[in-house]
Amino acid sequence: MADGDGRELSGVPSAPYDPPEFLSDVPGSYPWRVLHERHPALIERVRAATPYDIRVNRALDLLLEEIEGVMEPLEGSAHDRDLWESWDRGHIGRRWDDAPFLWAESYFYRRLLSAVGYFGPGAWQGVDPFEPFKQAELSGEAVDEELRELDALAALPPAERAQTLTLRALWGNRADLVFRVAAGPELAGRESGLVADDSALLWSLIGGEGAGVSGATGVPGVSGGSGVPGISGGPGGEADRAVAGRGGVARVCLVADNAGSELLPDLVLIDHLLHARGTGEVVLHVKPLPYYVSDATPADVLACLRRMSAAGGEAGEVAGRLRAALGSGRLLVRAHAFSCAPLPYREMPVGMREDFASASLTIMKGDLNYRRLVGDRAWPHTTPFAEVTAYFPGPVAALRTLKSEVAVGLDGDVVKALEATGHPWLTTGAHGLIQARP
């Protein structure tokens, strides 16, 4: 069961300047393509992956028709209808294209779960429609190789190990299964890099052994902190003031994004925080329900631990330590209802806000969490990250590969260099960022 229901909002005031939210009403735009191309393709993949009965297939057909028209309310008997009505901002009953992109995209996944009978009653109650995709990825040879590589990781010097784990957690976001529906072969071999790098600041906020970490080197195309050829550094001057050598912090919150080969490096990073950096407690936030295809749930956490245990070697050792941490209470798993809300974190309920306020650092993983953290709006890309996250109740960091049109906190020269390439850079997953605010 999810922690809380997300209806008690924190009352945080709006930002002093809010640019327009992204909508899906411009044919050919990225949000429009997600709603009218990616979502229909996903429905067909879900249908093909599981032998659903006639009733479910009819419901999927109706959802396909609906997303081309008006957004319908949840059925009257839905257990969470009141909750979604509390999250509604007048969008239900209007065209899908006219709702904010974040709201419409989130509501689509809730409606998809209804269509496949996830909430029952019936034979499909509680059956994750995305499980076939998750399982295929988790059991693949690429994961075998990733887990074998952990054997060499323990021998690295502390600072190098910390930076390697940061980059693995960042680029693991490329495992996003819903993103693969739209990503084409033209991405293969494209140079990748960071457009912002506050990794030194991030690790200074965590402290512990070897807290001093330099910019994220070792990634093809990364020059200094930008990852853009010809551009070095970035707006993260605070990273230069990182404080090394402190003891580990009391608590870190990590808000996970995807399951499988992204959640695996997240878990290894958590083990490093607990085992090597002296962090007293880590709180892992996951989704209470299957969402956005590959978003991590408590069941996915257990599946990853089983996979690591079966691999043996260092992966097995990590899994054993994490199981012990779960048993002792040093590792906590949260599955808050608001994690599936179609709203930004600015509107988080009091219980979640208090959880983040109690942490020395909250790490937000992935594109969706980034959109919810800064607001899924047409911010100028040079808008300071600290400015748009000022509402957040404690220090916060973001590890994210770019898969949507929102980005803040970038150096102006970096943006110019990216635009000058003539290639898309916001939505392809070819670039990433590490941003932090004390």
Side-chain angles (χ1 to χ4, degrees), residues 136-352:
E137 195 234 355
L138 191 59
S139 60
E141 293 183 2
V143 170
D144 290 334
E145 180 62 25
E146 179 181 343
L147 295 179
R148 282 193 295 268
E149 290 174 356
L150 294 180
D151 293 339
L153 189 63
L156 294 177
E160 186 177 348
R161 184 166 68 248
Q163 193 61 10
T164 300
L165 291 172
T166 306
L167 293 172
R168 280 176 174 263
L170 167 67
W171 295 117
N173 188 235
R174 286 174 170 166
D176 186 346
L177 296 173
V178 68
F179 183 69
R180 291 182 186 178
V181 175
E186 68 276 5
L187 295 184
R190 179 172 293 179
E191 186 176 76
S192 304
L194 297 177
V195 297
D197 180 11
D198 290 342
S199 54
L201 175 59
L202 183 156
W203 282 104
S204 77
L205 294 169
I206 293 172
E209 179 186 358
V213 175
S214 61
T217 58
V219 179
V222 173
S223 174
S226 73
V228 182
I231 301 294
S232 62
E238 292 169 297
D240 296 330
R241 297 189 290 274
V243 179
R246 304 186 306 177
V249 298
R251 169 184 267 209
V252 171
C253 287
L254 191 149
V255 185
D257 189 30
N258 296 312
S261 61
E262 180 183 347
L263 186 57
L264 287 169
D266 289 348
L267 291 172
V268 176
L269 176 61
I270 289 172
D271 173 69
H272 179 75
L273 294 176
L274 294 171
H275 182 65
R277 307 293 289 219
T279 302
E281 180 180 274
V282 174
V283 182
L284 175 62
H285 282 258
V286 296
K287 298 290 195 302
L289 303 168
Y291 236 56
Y292 280 74
V293 183
S294 55
D295 280 15
T297 66
D300 296 316
V301 174
L302 297 178
C304 284
L305 290 178
R306 289 192 295 268
R307 182 72 164 89
M308 295 169 76
S309 295
E314 179 64 15
E317 294 291 329
V318 170
R321 290 193 294 265
L322 290 174
R323 286 176 177 274
L326 284 166
S328 68
R330 291 188 67 205
L331 173 57
L332 305 173
V333 178
R334 296 269 197 271
H336 199 289
F338 192 79
S339 295
C340 289
L343 301 171
Y345 282 114
R346 180 179 295 278
E347 299 189 47
M348 75 180 90
V350 172
M352 178 176 278

Side-chain angles (χ1 to χ4, degrees), residues 357-381:
S358 71
S360 301
L361 178 66
T362 295
I363 301 172
M364 293 283 183
K365 283 292 311 297
D367 195 74
L368 176 60
N369 281 321
Y370 188 86
R371 291 163 61 193
R372 298 184 69 193
L373 176 65
V374 305
D376 200 34
R377 297 174 176 274
W379 296 103
H381 299 317

